Amino acid sequence: MKYCSNCGTPVELRIPEGDTLPRYVCSACSVIHYQNPKIVVGCIPEWEDRILLCRRAIEPHHGLWTLPAGFMENAETLVQGAARETLEEANARVEMGALYAIYNVPHINQVHILFRAQLLDLDFKPGIESLDVQLFGEAEIPWETLAFRVIREPLKRYFEERRQGKFEFHMGTIEEAGK
Ligand SMILES: [Zn+2]
């Protein structure tokens, strides 16, 4: 951040009195611009023994496969956000099921939240942010061309648990690559 969004004056990075972390502080209007993690919400849309994946038409990782997910908007709930992203990216209607996983991704200041979901019909097609949308059985999952570790890890767990016949909520952390 370079300029105060309140008054346009250049901001300085310093620890405000009584605080413990550096913040962007406006020297003119004294507003402290707190920066906090963003929530990414999505789902694993299921149809019988297959799940729906989207091939990304946008960066990062253009051309790779991912679950429908995206940044939560103001004034919506988690379930609404996951359903909205699924509609936007795959034109797919789902009934949201159980909360399945929360992944901390501290090095990029994100928290990813995934639900299981039931596809309501097969009338899906790529949204503007997707090149393709397809159903995949476990043997067909394009593990080598999945876009994000934060997608790969819950999907591995998902199929392991499906084989065992029992899904359980999981919270994990994706560390920076190489750590
Ligand atoms: Zn200001």
Side-chain angles (χ1 to χ4, degrees):
M1 174 176 253
K2 279 186 178 170
Y3 300 100
C4 175
S5 55
N6 190 45
C7 74
T9 303
V11 291
E12 54 185 41
L13 190 62
R14 62 179 175 83
I15 301 176
E17 198 180 329
D19 206 338
T20 54
L21 294 172
R23 315 282 183 188
Y24 289 107
V25 182
C26 178
S27 54
C29 76
S30 299
V31 165
I32 303 171
H33 299 276
Y34 294 97
Q35 296 183 319
N36 300 96
K38 285 190 160 38
I39 294 175
V40 175
V41 64
C43 67
I44 305 176
E46 304 165 329
W47 182 268
E48 296 169 354
D49 63 345
R50 291 183 292 170
I51 65 160
L52 188 82
L53 295 177
C54 305
R55 194 165 164 244
R56 291 172 63 82
I58 52 172
E59 294 296 346
H61 300 305
H62 181 280
L64 300 187
W65 293 90
T66 191
L67 290 167
F71 290 111
M72 191 179 183
E73 298 285 3
N74 290 342
E76 72 182 1
T77 66
L78 286 170
V79 164
Q80 288 167 346
R84 176 185 51 72
E85 289 291 341
T86 307
L87 191 62
E88 285 176 8
E89 296 180 2
N91 288 291
R93 284 143 300 277
V94 293
E95 182 179 316
M96 213 55 69
L99 178 61
Y100 185 60
I102 297 179
Y103 280 88
N104 304 289
V105 198
H107 65 282
I108 51 172
N109 308 318
Q110 292 179 359
V111 176
H112 288 239
I113 299 175
L114 276 181
F115 292 84
R116 290 176 58 212
Q118 289 292 318
L119 269 176
L120 296 180
D121 56 65
L122 293 177
D123 189 22
F124 53 78
K125 61 177 191 295
I128 195 158
E129 294 181 359
S130 304
L131 298 168
D132 195 4
V133 179
Q134 279 185 40
L135 288 170
F136 292 88
E138 181 177 3
E140 303 147 5
I141 297 286
W143 295 106
E144 300 308 312
T145 50
L146 288 181
F148 306 103
R149 274 189 299 155
V150 75
I151 299 298
R152 191 156 51 234
E153 294 211 6
L155 276 187
K156 277 188 180 155
R157 172 176 288 268
Y158 173 87
F159 286 111
E160 280 169 20
E161 288 187 345
R162 201 173 70 179
R163 271 181 258 124
Q164 293 160 9
K166 188 161 186 273
F167 290 107
E168 278 188 357
F169 170 77
H170 172 71
M171 185 159 64
T173 299
I174 305 291
E175 304 287 357
E176 194 167 3
K179 277 196 176 174

